[in-house]
Amino acid sequence: MKTYTEEFKKTIVELYEAGNKTKSELAREYGTSEVNVNTYETFNEAKLAIFEFIESWYNNNRIHSSINYKTPNEKYKEYIEKLGVQDELRRCISEGFEGFELYFQPIYNPENDCLAGSEALIRWNSRKYGFMGPDRFIPLLEDSALIIPLGKWIIDNAARTCNKWITNIPTFVMHINLSFIQIVKSNIIKDVIENIGRYSASNNHYIFEVTETIEMDQMPAVDRVFKEFIKNG
C-alpha cells in the first residue's frame, strides 16, 4: 500500500517529466480538474500552476496529526518574514541598537534571602514588529552573525550596570549569556576583556554562561576559549 509521501513524490516527478508536452497532451493525462492547462502554452510556462497544484494536493492529502505540518506556501511566507525581521534587526543594530534593552533578572542567595546577583537578558521592541520574544529574534541574530555586534553591546551594558551595583552590594555577580556563534566566529576573549576592562569591577563579579546544549567540550575552538577564560580569571 502506497503512503501519502510516496504518492506525492510520484506526482511531482510526473509533473516535471511533462516539461515539453502540449496543452492537449496535458489535458489527456491530467485533466483540467487537476491542472488548468488552458492558461499556458506548454508546461514549462506553468511554474505557478505546478506550485498551486502541489499546494492543493498537500492540503487535501496530508495526514492530520499532532505534528505541525507546513505547506510549501507556508514555508515560503515564513522565509520571507524571516528575511524581513533580519533586515529590521540589522537596521536597529546599525542605528545605535535601537529598540534593544537589557532586563536584569535578580538572583537570590537562598541561605540569607539576599540579592546575590542578576542575569542580563536581552529584549527587543521593534518599531516595525513591536515587542518580539527572544525565542524568535535570537535565532535570527545567530543565523546572520548579528549576535556578534549585539553581544559586545550586551557585555558592555551589563558590565556598566554591574559596576554601579557593587557599590551597594560588594559581592554582587552579573551573569551574562554568550552565544555559541560568538565563541566560534568572533574573538570573544578580546571582546569580554575590553568591555569589562572599562569598569572597576574585578573579574570575579562576572559569570559568563553558554546556554547551548550541544557537546561543546568536544570542539577544539570551544575548548580553547574556555581555557583562555580560565587563564584570564
Side-chain angles (χ1 to χ4, degrees), residues 82-95 97 100 122 124 137-154 179 181-182 185-186:
K82 172 185 173 181
L83 293 181
V85 175
Q86 282 183 331
D87 283 345
E88 179 69 358
L89 285 165
R90 187 174 291 106
R91 183 193 68 79
C92 289
I93 289 173
S94 66
E95 296 181 7
F97 301 94
F100 288 101
I122 188 66
W124 182 46
F137 71 81
I138 288 179
L140 299 180
L141 288 168
E142 293 177 329
D143 286 348
S144 57
L146 290 169
I147 192 67
I148 294 173
L150 181 63
K152 296 178 185 178
W153 181 87
I154 292 171
S179 166
I181 300 300
Q182 289 174 270
K185 291 190 176 182
S186 70

Side-chain angles (χ1 to χ4, degrees), residues 166-218:
I166 61 172
T167 58
N168 295 318
I169 308 173
T171 58
F172 184 89
V173 175
M174 179 66 74
H175 295 245
I176 302 173
N177 294 314
L178 297 178
S179 166
F180 176 71
I181 300 300
Q182 289 174 270
I183 292 176
V184 298
K185 291 190 176 182
S186 70
N187 191 341
I188 188 62
I189 299 297
K190 177 176 175 289
D191 293 343
V192 167
I193 291 175
E194 284 184 355
N195 283 283
I196 69 175
R198 296 191 179 107
Y199 309 99
S200 59
S202 58
N203 291 357
N204 63 305
H205 288 285
Y206 301 99
I207 292 178
F208 291 91
E209 303 173 351
V210 183
T211 56
E212 278 81 356
T213 57
I214 60 175
E215 296 179 352
M216 293 181 296
D217 57 336
Q218 297 181 12

Side-chain angles (χ1 to χ4, degrees), residues 1 7 13 23 40 46 58 65 69 82 86 101 103 116 124 129 140 146 155 164 166 171 173 183 198 205 207 210 229:
M1 180 179 179
E7 185 180 342
V13 170
K23 288 193 300 182
Y40 49 85
Y58 189 92
S65 70
Y69 288 100
K82 172 185 173 181
Q86 282 183 331
E101 290 183 282
Y103 285 29
W124 182 46
Y129 295 99
L140 299 180
L146 290 169
I155 295 169
K164 293 177 181 178
I166 61 172
T171 58
V173 175
I183 292 176
R198 296 191 179 107
H205 288 285
I207 292 178
V210 183
F229 267 115

Side-chain angles (χ1 to χ4, degrees), residues 9-136:
K9 287 180 179 178
K10 179 176 180 293
T11 303
I12 301 306
V13 170
E14 289 175 350
L15 284 169
Y16 280 95
E17 285 178 347
N20 295 312
K21 293 183 179 180
T22 64
K23 288 193 300 182
S24 58
E25 289 173 325
L26 289 168
R28 284 196 302 271
E29 291 191 25
Y30 293 100
T32 55
S33 62
E34 288 185 303
V35 180
N36 185 3
V37 295
N38 296 314
T39 60
Y40 49 85
E41 291 302 321
T42 69
F43 212 83
N44 281 332
E45 299 172 27
K47 290 183 180 180
L48 180 59
I50 295 172
F51 181 85
E52 290 174 347
F53 173 76
I54 293 171
E55 183 80 7
S56 175
W57 190 98
Y58 189 92
N59 287 332
N60 291 332
N61 294 284
R62 61 180 172 176
I63 302 172
H64 297 282
S65 70
S66 59
I67 300 175
N68 183 23
Y69 288 100
K70 292 181 181 178
T71 68
N73 191 43
E74 287 170 340
K75 289 182 179 180
Y76 176 74
K77 289 179 179 178
E78 188 178 82
Y79 175 69
I80 295 301
E81 181 182 353
K82 172 185 173 181
L83 293 181
V85 175
Q86 282 183 331
D87 283 345
E88 179 69 358
L89 285 165
R90 187 174 291 106
R91 183 193 68 79
C92 289
I93 289 173
S94 66
E95 296 181 7
F97 301 94
E98 176 192 304
F100 288 101
E101 290 183 282
L102 278 186
Y103 285 29
F104 296 97
Q105 181 171 290
I107 298 173
Y108 287 91
N109 184 339
E111 294 181 0
N112 55 22
D113 200 30
C114 291
L115 184 66
S118 70
E119 180 181 5
L121 302 173
I122 188 66
R123 295 294 182 264
W124 182 46
N125 192 357
S126 163
R127 187 198 314 169
K128 182 176 181 180
Y129 295 99
F131 184 85
M132 185 176 291
D135 59 321
R136 288 189 61 195

